[in-house]
Amino acid sequence: MHAPLDNGGRGSLRGTRLLVGYGVVTVFLAVAASVSIKIGSDRDHPPAIAGLYSATPTACFDSSFELTQSGQFVDLDGTGPVEGKLRLRDGRLKGEVTCRDGGSTDVDLALDQGGDNTVFSGTVLDQSVTLAFTAALPEAGKAPAKKRSAEETFGRLMLAIAAVILAARLAGAVLATVGQPRVMGEIIAGILLGPTLLGAVAPDVKDYLFPADIIPLLSAAASIGLAFYLFLVGMELDPTAIRQRATQAAFISNTSVAFPMALGLLVAVPTYELLAPDADYLPFALFMGVAMSITAFPVLARILVERRMLRRPVGALAMAGAAIDDVTAWGLLALATAVAGAGSGVDALVVVGLAGAFTAAMIVGGRPILRRLSTAYDELGYVPPLWVAGIFVSILLAAYTAQEIGIAPIFGAFIVGLIMPRHAGLTEDMSRRLEDFVVTVLLPLFFVVTGLKVHVGSLDRWQLWVLALILFVVAVVGKWVGAMLAARYGGFSWRDSSALGALMNTRGLTELIVLNIGLDLGLISTALFTMLVLMAIVTTFMAGPALRLLDPRGELSEPPEEAFRRAVGERETAEAAPERSILVAPQDDRNIDALLALAEPLARSQPPRELVVVRLLRPVALSTGLVTEDRQLRQTVEELDQRRELLLGRGVQTRVAAFTSADQGADLLRLASEPTIDLILMNGRRPLLGEGVPGGEVGVVLA
């Protein structure tokens, strides 16, 4: 058995020890914030110069071209070979430009004016040149000159949605085969459908699938999906699990937020000068801190379920800590958006106060109203349609209210999920109504909208890749090391502490939501957005391999034998079971009775044998889905119990069990290797071509 805690002689995490820990964390965060604000407030972000320009015709320049900008880094694009990689520092635009004749020359132009009257002047190839701003760059999503009919627009929207769903499903299935969460495959699919791959390889196909006038429609649908998704996330947070481990979970969670946030505030100082858009330092730094401190609760939950870690101390604590992290993250995001949208410090305080009042009103006033849902559900056995409509309207109105206050709209939807009554049947009913459509249809739209904003090609200088690496290291050190040190301080072994840090370092979808809000608010540039998206993806991919490296023997996971014994522990009969057993492992519900019909006469033979019926369920292919998974397990157990009672009535000793398994073949092989098992009965099918050994779980067991 796995020891629940390795205190290492340190004692429990309470009293003075807990206060000292919080004191150290608070001081570290306060010092980092003070240093960041003091130094950063004196720094200036690069002036905004992106746009279309006219130029004095020279031997090098055309008469017109465009400048695109990511902080100090500027790209010049003209007709033909004219292009350049420039850098804007200290009021001068310097770099190398490829001229019309294919040759290259150095450029050093002075910024004379800014804003809509931006003018650069200088000498190029011994000729005087002046660059004058003429117009802003075209905005993404601008409608085409020829307006589509409503029917044509609808058709193109349906085509775009179909392409997104297909790509998301395929990529999710591929990533699942290598042990990664399906949602990460869907995120990758969204990015590959954007400029990063499809736009680079087949730009005409990308423009046809996602024309400029369809992107705003996709974005609107994605925003609706995010609101309902955050409602599901809030509804699946279990306060009971948090209360059971409140002290340790809160300390580890708070440390794993404060430590990376402090590092994010510090790294914001040089990043602000290099890559910040036209934004004030304080909201930029606060956003960088929030971006570094995120843990993706839904993705982490899927990892813990698939690895059967929830019944181990590390997994249970990671789940509780991530739940607290999630609530903290949305609160910090609300603060960051309030500061970004406010015109002054007083305005920011007003927005924060209104956000607090809104949250309190939802808890005090909204929760008692929603609590009546439990009574209605108990009386009717389902949620009345009028109540369902009322909940949906509440989600939308809460999102609207949050937006009007000046914070992220999804915060309102998340709060509605948090105050939903924790009634198993009610939660299942609401999840069943929403999960499939929201997670399968609407959420992938958010991934492709994100992917259309990711421009890996914009990281076209070595300095940008170095900065991307620095941000990645800061994110990993802050989150992983912060959680690891907090867990070690709380009494865990170094191995368990490091595993907990690897889990808390999972950012996934939650990080993408935060980054999109930062980009929409103008707090980060496209290049910085791309860097942070890559950081979010890589840190999430790291979790699985890191756990396998730290725990190669799977001691942090519940082995299938133990899961089986736990599942059947409450169903033991008073009669002594036969010494030998037959393992019946149906791969689907259709073949259970056929397998039992074969197994029953074998069990009656001499010597008699016990039937052990095990149904392994694959994890739900949803980024939330915990409620759905619990419902499926209960339904499966109820069906197996009915068959068990029939067999017991006919004198056949039977035990049944059902549990989740991400690798059914390997788990069945371990169960079949038990010394009391004489025979395993399971269904399968031969390959479509040839006469080879059946594939899938049957092939694993036979091999």
Side-chain angles (χ1 to χ4, degrees):
M1 293 291 291
H2 184 275
L5 281 177
D6 174 16
N7 290 322
R10 293 173 176 266
S12 59
L13 187 60
R14 63 182 64 178
T16 303
R17 183 175 178 79
L18 181 63
L19 291 176
V20 170
Y22 271 117
V24 172
V25 172
T26 303
V27 169
F28 179 70
L29 178 59
V31 170
S34 300
V35 171
S36 175
I37 294 173
K38 181 175 179 57
I39 298 176
S41 297
D42 296 331
R43 305 291 176 93
D44 293 322
H45 61 76
I49 63 167
L52 303 177
Y53 282 77
S54 63
T56 306
T58 66
C60 184
F61 282 148
D62 291 316
S63 60
S64 64
F65 50 83
E66 68 177 39
L67 296 180
T68 55
Q69 179 185 20
S70 288
Q72 291 185 1
F73 302 95
V74 180
D75 289 335
L76 183 150
D77 291 303
T79 57
V82 177
E83 63 177 5
K85 304 296 182 186
L86 312 174
R87 192 165 179 181
L88 180 63
R89 284 190 292 185
D90 301 324
R92 304 196 71 85
L93 189 62
K94 300 180 180 181
E96 187 176 72
V97 174
T98 301
C99 298
R100 286 185 292 182
D101 60 1
S104 60
T105 184
D106 291 332
V107 170
D108 185 354
L109 304 175
L111 175 61
D112 295 333
Q113 300 180 52
D116 292 340
N117 298 315
T118 299
V119 175
F120 289 96
S121 60
T123 302
V124 178
L125 294 178
D126 298 326
Q127 292 180 298
S128 296
V129 63
T130 300
L131 313 183
F133 179 90
T134 58
L137 294 173
E139 296 182 7
K142 185 178 179 181
K146 182 179 179 180
K147 188 173 179 63
R148 305 180 198 275
S149 66
E151 292 80 5
E152 187 180 4
T153 299
F154 177 77
R156 296 296 293 275
L157 178 62
M158 294 302 101
L159 174 64
I161 293 175
V164 171
I165 294 174
L166 178 61
R169 293 291 94 182
L170 290 176
V174 171
L175 264 291
T177 61
V178 294
Q180 292 290 345
R182 287 177 180 268
V183 68
M184 294 308 299
E186 297 175 4
I187 292 173
I188 294 295
I191 293 175
L192 296 182
L193 288 174
T196 299
L197 180 64
L198 187 60
V201 175
D204 292 340
V205 176
K206 178 251 181 187
D207 291 339
Y208 185 82
L209 287 176
F210 308 110
D213 60 323
I214 298 299
I215 294 175
L217 302 179
L218 292 174
S219 181
S223 297
I224 296 172
L226 278 184
F228 282 93
Y229 176 78
L230 264 294
F231 166 76
L232 289 173
V233 172
M235 190 170 61
E236 289 200 345
L237 290 179
D238 186 2
T240 303
I242 297 175
R243 284 194 295 268
Q244 290 173 350
R245 304 168 180 84
T247 302
Q248 277 190 319
F251 178 72
I252 293 173
S253 173
N254 293 335
T255 303
S256 72
V257 169
F259 196 67
M261 188 168 190
L263 296 184
L265 290 170
L266 293 174
V267 81
V269 175
T271 307
Y272 185 69
E273 286 188 305
L274 290 172
L275 281 180
D278 187 9
D280 293 335
Y281 178 75
L282 181 58
F284 173 83
L286 185 57
F287 179 82
M288 288 294 294
V290 173
M292 294 293 162
S293 61
I294 293 296
T295 292
F297 170 76
V299 177
L300 175 61
R302 293 255 50 89
I303 293 174
L304 295 175
V305 168
E306 292 180 5
R307 296 181 67 89
R308 284 199 298 269
M309 295 180 67
L310 284 176
R311 294 183 181 273
R312 288 289 189 261
V314 170
L317 196 60
M319 179 69 97
I324 297 173
D325 234 32
D326 220 38
V327 177
T328 305
W330 298 122
L332 290 173
L333 180 62
L335 175 63
T337 54
V339 173
S344 64
V346 175
D347 293 337
L349 290 176
V350 170
V351 173
V352 171
L354 289 174
F358 166 68
T359 304
M362 292 290 288
I363 294 173
V364 175
R367 177 176 285 178
I369 296 174
L370 290 175
R371 194 176 294 134
R372 296 182 182 179
L373 276 173
S374 296
T375 304
Y377 186 88
D378 289 335
E379 292 175 351
L380 300 175
Y382 65 94
V383 182
L386 186 60
W387 276 98
V388 174
I391 293 173
F392 288 178
V393 170
S394 299
I395 296 169
L396 298 174
L397 289 180
Y400 167 76
T401 304
Q403 189 273 329
E404 285 295 304
I405 288 173
I407 58 179
I410 56 175
F411 180 77
F414 179 71
I415 292 297
V416 176
L418 276 182
I419 65 174
M420 281 288 290
R422 268 28 183 196
H423 184 294
L426 172 63
T427 304
E428 289 175 10
D429 196 316
M430 291 304 303
S431 296
R432 177 176 51 80
R433 294 173 187 268
L434 286 173
E435 272 182 345
D436 285 340
F437 184 71
V438 169
V439 178
T440 304
V441 178
L442 296 182
L443 204 56
L445 300 184
F446 169 72
F447 299 144
V448 79
V449 169
T450 299
L452 291 170
K453 301 174 185 176
V454 173
H455 294 265
V456 176
S458 66
L459 307 183
D460 54 0
R461 297 167 172 83
W462 66 266
Q463 297 98 324
L464 294 176
W465 283 106
V466 169
L467 181 58
L469 180 61
I470 291 173
L471 293 176
F472 170 76
V473 171
V474 168
V476 172
V477 170
K479 199 69 180 179
W480 193 330
V481 174
M484 180 180 68
L485 293 178
R488 180 58 183 164
Y489 185 77
F492 280 85
S493 67
W494 279 113
R495 191 277 307 270
D496 290 4
S497 299
S498 186
L500 190 58
L503 289 167
M504 298 297 285
N505 191 46
T506 302
R507 287 176 172 85
L509 171 58
T510 307
E511 180 80 4
L512 297 188
I513 296 173
V514 172
L515 296 180
N516 273 275
I517 292 174
L519 185 64
D520 292 341
L521 290 174
L523 295 178
I524 55 176
S525 61
T526 300
L528 184 54
F529 174 79
T530 300
M531 293 177 186
L532 294 175
V533 167
L534 294 177
M535 177 272 291
I537 292 173
V538 175
T539 53
T540 305
F541 279 144
M542 288 172 59
L547 287 174
R548 285 191 289 272
L549 182 65
L550 293 168
D551 183 32
R553 293 184 293 180
E555 295 175 351
L556 298 178
S557 302
E558 184 181 41
E561 304 93 325
E562 186 174 326
F564 170 75
R565 285 191 289 270
R566 172 178 52 79
V568 303
E570 298 178 355
R571 301 180 180 86
E572 299 288 354
T573 61
E575 301 180 23
E579 295 181 358
R580 313 303 299 173
S581 304
I582 297 174
L583 178 63
V584 182
Q587 301 304 294
D588 53 66
D589 295 334
R590 297 189 306 271
N591 292 286
I592 294 178
D593 292 327
L595 289 174
L596 290 178
L598 290 173
E600 185 174 351
L602 295 174
R604 295 180 184 278
S605 62
Q606 294 299 321
R609 292 173 175 82
E610 179 188 35
L611 293 185
V612 178
V613 186
V614 178
R615 181 78 170 92
L616 302 186
L617 301 179
R618 293 192 181 279
V620 176
L622 300 173
S623 49
T624 53
L626 298 181
V627 174
T628 300
E629 211 156 74
D630 289 341
R631 181 177 68 248
Q632 290 181 353
L633 276 173
R634 281 198 300 272
Q635 290 175 347
T636 301
V637 169
E638 289 173 1
E639 293 171 359
L640 292 178
D641 276 338
Q642 292 175 1
R643 291 175 170 86
R644 174 177 177 268
E645 293 299 326
L646 291 174
L647 290 168
L648 288 175
R650 296 200 291 264
V652 179
Q653 285 293 309
T654 307
R655 289 185 293 167
V656 298
F659 54 90
T660 301
S661 171
D663 190 350
Q664 296 186 2
D667 287 347
L668 284 174
L669 188 60
R670 290 188 61 169
L671 290 175
S673 300
E674 290 284 290
T676 60
I677 300 294
D678 286 339
L679 178 68
I680 178 170
L681 293 177
M682 56 190 301
N683 59 291
R685 60 177 178 81
R686 291 187 179 278
L688 294 177
L689 299 176
E691 297 294 329
V693 175
E697 287 70 34
V698 176
V700 173
V701 174
L702 291 177

